[in-house]
Amino acid sequence: PTKGWTFPDQWVLRANHHDAWVNGAEDPDSGLAPMLEEARAMGELRKQGWSPKRTIVYLAWDGEEPALLGSTEWAEAHDKELQQHAVAYINSDGNGRGFLDAGGSHALEHFINDVARDIEDPEKKISVWKRSQLRRIASAKNAEDRADVRSRDDLRIGALGSGSDYTAFIDHLGVASLDLGYGGEEGGG
């Protein structure tokens, strides 16, 4: 873990699975590689004297595809510790080419919108938030839905149920969770 400076006893869990369907060609669609690069970049920042406010714990799961085995077993083994310290679980599964997609606890909706406003889309040179907003406007079913997307300060994030490694954290431990990914422009695999 990268120990937090201001709130070291509050943990942000950052995770992805490393097992895959079709030899990694579809899911997690190289999701672990960007997370490992993120962890490496955090290490470089740490060497320069920077520390996060909260402790960041990086996790790589096995057994996601057959039955969420690795994350569920780990969450069960550490349930008391997690209920005491975990403040957020951030999952990524697939990272392809295209648009940011986020689902999660609605307590984190404003947070992820703020982050999305600060990240530039490398292809379009606008924020990933703006690009996602424009896609939602273009794909809206009617004028009322388009007006709703245009008028909201934040893009809505979908609720999480089950189906990825966040399940044990949000559904069983009550840890606020996000599931993030990019996609919509790749052909799959």
Side-chain angles (χ1 to χ4, degrees), residues 13-26:
L13 307 171
R14 177 69 178 94
N16 194 299
H17 66 99
H18 59 80
D19 66 326
W21 291 47
V22 196
N23 302 315
E26 186 62 32

Side-chain angles (χ1 to χ4, degrees), residues 120-138:
E120 183 179 279
D121 181 272
E123 186 175 320
K124 300 296 182 185
K125 306 299 183 206
I126 58 176
S127 72
V128 297
W129 184 92
K130 188 64 173 175
R131 189 163 188 223
S132 290
Q133 182 201 38
L134 292 171
R135 181 180 196 211
R136 289 179 186 201
I137 291 168

Side-chain angles (χ1 to χ4, degrees), residues 41-53:
M42 289 287 227
E44 290 299 317
L45 288 170
R46 186 85 170 153
K47 287 178 190 175
Q48 297 171 20
W50 176 86
S51 291
K53 287 185 178 182

Side-chain angles (χ1 to χ4, degrees), residues 35-182:
M35 189 185 84
L36 292 174
E37 176 59 19
E38 176 186 312
R40 188 203 62 77
M42 289 287 227
E44 290 299 317
L45 288 170
R46 186 85 170 153
K47 287 178 190 175
Q48 297 171 20
W50 176 86
S51 291
K53 287 185 178 182
R54 291 167 180 80
T55 297
I56 301 172
V57 181
Y58 282 91
L59 303 154
W61 307 120
D62 61 350
E64 192 264 6
E65 294 305 345
L68 309 176
L69 299 172
S71 58
T72 301
E73 185 174 318
W74 192 83
E76 288 172 351
H78 298 276
D79 63 342
K80 288 176 184 43
E81 193 177 20
L82 291 166
Q83 288 174 331
Q84 185 177 23
H85 297 288
V87 296
Y89 178 89
I90 302 172
N91 187 72
S92 55
D93 214 4
N95 287 299
R97 183 171 177 258
F99 306 89
L100 173 66
D101 184 41
S105 302
H106 291 284
L108 298 173
E109 184 173 81
H110 185 68
F111 165 75
I112 193 57
N113 273 269
D114 279 352
V115 171
R117 285 182 183 93
D118 288 342
I119 299 171
E120 183 179 279
D121 181 272
E123 186 175 320
K124 300 296 182 185
K125 306 299 183 206
I126 58 176
S127 72
V128 297
W129 184 92
K130 188 64 173 175
R131 189 163 188 223
S132 290
Q133 182 201 38
L134 292 171
R135 181 180 196 211
R136 289 179 186 201
I137 291 168
S139 63
K141 294 177 183 173
N142 55 49
E144 184 179 323
D145 289 349
R146 282 189 292 281
D148 180 59
V149 174
R150 284 186 179 107
S151 67
R152 288 183 51 80
D153 291 333
D154 287 333
L155 300 174
R156 295 181 195 271
I157 63 173
L160 297 178
S162 182
S164 194
D165 288 303
Y166 54 76
T167 301
F169 298 90
I170 191 170
D171 291 344
H172 301 289
L173 300 176
V175 176
S177 299
L178 283 172
D179 187 42
L180 307 173
Y182 284 86

